[in-house]
Amino acid sequence: MSAKLKAGILGATGTVGQRFVILLSNHPQFIVHAIGASPRSAGKRYFDTTKWKMTIPIPENVENMLVSQCKPEYFKECDVVFSGLDADVAGDIEMEFLKADLAVFSNAKNYRRDPSVPLIVPTVNAAHFSIIPYQRKLRSLKKGFLVTNANCSTTGLVVALKPLIDTFGPLESVIVHTMQAISGAGYPGVSSLDIFDNIVPFISGEEEKMEWETLKILGEINADGTAFDLLPETRVSATCNRVPVIDGHLECVSIKFKNQPPPSPEQVTHALENYESIANQIGCYSAPPKSIIVNPEKDRPQPRLDRDNGNGYSVTVGRVRTCNVLDIKFTLLVHNTVLGAAGSGILNAEIALARGLIKQIGL
Ligand SMILES: NC(=O)C1=CN([C@@H]2O[C@H](COP(=O)(O)OP(=O)(O)OC[C@H]3O[C@@H](n4cnc5c(N)ncnc54)[C@H](OP(=O)(O)O)[C@@H]3O)[C@@H](O)[C@H]2O)C=CC1
Ligand SMILES: N[C@@H](CC(=O)OP(=O)(O)O)C(=O)O
């Protein structure tokens, strides 16, 4: 395959869409070919209709592109379609794109629980791509498929839990408290009067998503690639808070292992530091050199200082220590719009490409 694959972005004007635009500029395998948003934006130049909130300018190849409606006919030349659509509309639109036999990588929550749709955090459960042949058969697709990535807070959590389960066996319980950035709520999102000088101890639906998605992602796919088995026996309890930070979700995690006695904090640190994901092993362009960075300083990770580690694709862990109630506790940080959203979609597409699942249109 020589030329770059043509990428479409649905919801290109939004918080996640803007991150897609940044991460795809200068990508060696994908080039932005079509962008879509709501009827409010359709027909306008990207520069004119987007409330650009990134700290670097709009890439030149996209600023003058015309935004189209999110209809498959405008994206039929795209080899891959990334969706950063609002969940209120993602369900219907993504299904139309799937029916048009396009390869869709979705950030929205709508299909994460679908039994034939994989929920993939690229540095955790790339093995779940094996459901795609079954999904295609089920829906009579030749080259299209739908892959979802996870809720942003769930993403950070499962990256840290994966090497611990692999090394020390099943977890009995996980208790997590989040401090989530405002960019997680999109734009304009949380009103300044609610979040300035304040913390909001509620994010609608977030705790339920963390508690359920963790079990699908860390569970197994069955031997014939036709179903997911949720992680058995592990109970997850999440409490989610919105804090006045722009990007980067911080999470305080306590865990109890099934096998006793549990590993020491040093053994846990070693397992986290030495974790290598499939995305690394196959040499994906966006895979960070280390999926997990353990920072030994006593007051890290911190959102402003650590969210860009691994270009936003690494999860940073710190404060690994004994828990007096469960076994081990630690703090982690995930960049919510990179690994927690657009970055996962792109890295998932890189893995799908390496696995031969994406067929270039016109070749
Ligand atoms: N922000 C984050 O950290 C994360 C977000 N997600 C998920 O990603 C998705 C996008 O989130 P986010 O970027 O924050 O949201 P935003 O509200 O910032 O952006 C929403 C996007 O959807 C488009 N849109 C709205 N209505 C329609 C419509 N009727 N037809 C077509 N397009 C429409 C908007 O276009 P327009 O500008 O024209 O209105 C905009 O491009 C959501 O499903 C969210 O849950 C997932 C993980 C993390
Ligand atoms: N709810 C997350 C962002 C998000 O949109 O998540 P989801 O894709 O699971 O709906 C946050 O507020 O930080």
Side-chain angles (χ1 to χ4, degrees):
M1 228 178 258
S2 52
K4 288 186 186 183
L5 275 76
K6 293 177 179 163
I9 307 174
L10 305 176
T13 51
T15 307
V16 173
Q18 293 181 26
R19 188 62 72 182
F20 271 123
V21 167
I22 297 271
L23 294 174
L24 289 171
S25 68
N26 301 318
H27 193 286
Q29 293 161 303
F30 305 113
I31 184 155
V32 180
H33 180 73
I35 50 176
S38 79
R40 293 179 291 279
S41 306
K44 297 183 181 147
R45 278 196 325 152
Y46 188 72
F47 177 86
D48 293 328
T49 191
T50 304
K51 293 204 164 52
W52 186 255
K53 296 293 167 197
M54 301 289 125
T55 52
I56 56 173
I58 304 179
E60 278 177 20
N61 65 322
V62 174
E63 65 178 348
N64 289 315
M65 281 177 85
L66 280 188
V67 176
S68 57
Q69 288 184 49
C70 293
K71 294 192 185 300
E73 65 222 59
Y74 303 117
F75 291 79
K76 59 176 190 282
E77 291 174 354
C78 293
D79 303 297
V80 286
V81 176
F82 297 106
S83 168
L85 283 171
D86 190 294
D88 286 349
V89 296
D92 290 345
I93 295 176
E94 290 172 1
M95 188 46 65
E96 268 188 74
F97 276 67
L98 183 62
K99 284 183 179 159
D101 212 10
L102 289 160
V104 182
F105 292 85
S106 168
N107 273 272
K109 64 182 177 189
N110 309 62
Y111 293 105
R112 290 181 192 152
R113 288 178 181 242
D114 186 300
S116 69
V117 174
L119 172 53
I120 301 183
V121 174
T123 52
V124 175
N125 62 326
H128 287 195
F129 271 108
S130 352
I131 196 112
I132 297 301
Y134 175 68
Q135 188 195 101
R136 280 180 170 152
K137 196 169 149 205
L138 211 59
R139 297 178 182 274
S140 309
L141 301 168
K142 287 201 176 67
K143 55 185 181 51
F145 57 80
L146 174 62
V147 170
T148 56
N149 48 258
N151 166 270
C152 36
S153 299
T154 310
T155 298
L157 180 66
V158 295
V159 171
L161 298 184
K162 171 72 173 157
L164 303 184
I165 295 172
D166 286 353
T167 315
F168 306 113
L171 294 168
E172 195 175 288
S173 27
V174 176
I175 297 180
V176 55
H177 292 81
T178 70
M179 282 155 270
Q180 299 184 213
I182 51 178
S183 61
Y187 183 80
V190 190
S191 115
S192 53
L193 208 53
D194 285 332
I195 201 65
F196 206 68
D197 184 31
N198 208 14
I199 290 173
V200 181
F202 176 69
I203 301 175
S204 180
E206 196 79 355
E207 295 170 356
E208 294 79 358
K209 281 184 271 184
M210 289 193 79
E211 290 169 1
W212 190 86
E213 290 180 17
T214 298
L215 305 182
K216 181 168 178 181
I217 296 162
L218 293 174
E220 302 285 333
I221 181 159
N222 69 0
D224 55 0
T226 55
F228 299 106
D229 298 323
L230 297 191
L231 194 63
E233 296 174 56
T234 305
R235 289 176 308 154
V236 183
S237 172
T239 303
C240 298
N241 305 286
R242 184 78 66 200
V243 300
V245 161
I246 292 179
D247 286 321
H249 290 354
L250 197 73
E251 304 179 22
C252 298
V253 187
S254 297
I255 53 176
K256 183 165 184 61
F257 292 91
K258 195 153 185 263
N259 299 331
Q260 296 289 317
S264 65
E266 292 71 28
Q267 289 171 309
V268 165
T269 301
H270 185 264
L272 292 168
E273 278 179 328
N274 288 287
Y275 176 59
E276 200 182 53
S277 73
I278 292 177
N280 272 111
Q281 289 161 3
I282 59 182
C284 290
Y285 169 75
S286 304
K290 288 183 87 60
S291 297
I292 301 172
I293 293 171
V294 181
N295 189 320
E297 291 179 58
K298 62 177 188 259
D299 59 355
R300 301 288 280 274
Q302 296 180 17
R304 187 152 42 82
L305 303 182
D306 295 305
R307 62 191 166 209
D308 291 327
N309 285 343
N311 286 328
Y313 284 88
S314 296
V315 167
T316 306
V317 176
R319 309 208 62 224
V320 182
R321 60 214 193 277
T322 300
C323 175
N324 285 337
V325 179
L326 303 185
D327 292 330
I328 291 285
K329 56 185 173 178
F330 55 86
T331 301
L332 70 83
L333 181 82
V334 59
H335 195 308
N336 55 298
T337 66
V338 184
L339 189 68
S344 268
I346 292 170
L347 193 42
N348 276 340
E350 293 172 22
I351 296 170
L353 188 58
R355 292 182 68 139
L357 291 168
I358 298 175
K359 315 247 186 309
Q360 197 166 8
I361 291 168
L363 280 192

